Amino acid sequence: MKTKTTVPKYSFKNLPVDYIGLIALLSPRPIRDAVDLANAEEMARALAGFDLSIDQADYLEALSVFIEQYERENVKWPRKRPTPLESLRHLMDERQMKAADLARLLGVHRTLGGMILRGERQLTVGHIKILAKHFGIAATYFM
């Protein structure tokens, strides 16, 4: 049985500017499982946030439609917005970060990372700016 694997990490500067070239790397098609989702998300991340050619923009839009459709049908979204601490823990878990990694990232004493994760200390505005930049998300996730 053939096993599916995720696509390698793409860099925007190495991606084709034409639709046919992009399709040759990853054909936009309905997403059927987590591997298909990971592949589509990886390509979408490589394209997102750049000044795209018309073909690249069309390709990203097609991928986005398939990603949105899959998530609407298969992803159970939480009913309430996560707390800033829950958001931070989730992002750190995804990247296999520990409390010491958080402290290094924030440029604080190593014990403060654990204190923040236990809810004993609050994030400062400076911490929030660092985290938002590091994780590539809006600062409001930590507020």
Side-chain angles (χ1 to χ4, degrees), residues 88 91-92 95 97-110 112-113 116-117 123 126-136 142:
L88 177 58
L91 291 165
M92 289 178 62
R95 290 157 183 83
M97 291 176 65
K98 305 292 181 204
D101 300 318
L102 176 62
R104 275 190 295 281
L105 173 65
L106 298 176
V108 297
H109 190 271
R110 60 183 176 83
L112 189 58
I116 290 171
L117 291 174
L123 293 170
H127 295 159
I128 291 171
K129 287 179 181 178
I130 292 168
L131 291 170
K133 183 176 180 182
H134 178 77
F135 291 116
F142 304 109

Side-chain angles (χ1 to χ4, degrees), residues 6-11 15 26 36-48 63 67:
T6 59
V7 295
K9 296 208 181 293
Y10 292 110
S11 170
L15 291 177
L26 179 70
D36 288 347
L37 179 63
N39 289 332
E41 287 176 335
E42 184 68 37
M43 181 61 83
R45 274 192 295 275
L47 289 166
L63 279 181
I67 291 169

Side-chain angles (χ1 to χ4, degrees), residues 61-79:
E61 184 176 349
L63 279 181
S64 299
V65 167
F66 290 126
I67 291 169
E68 182 181 342
Q69 179 182 5
Y70 179 83
E71 288 179 342
R72 189 176 335 109
E73 296 171 2
N74 297 286
V75 176
K76 304 288 188 246
W77 297 103
R79 292 205 162 115

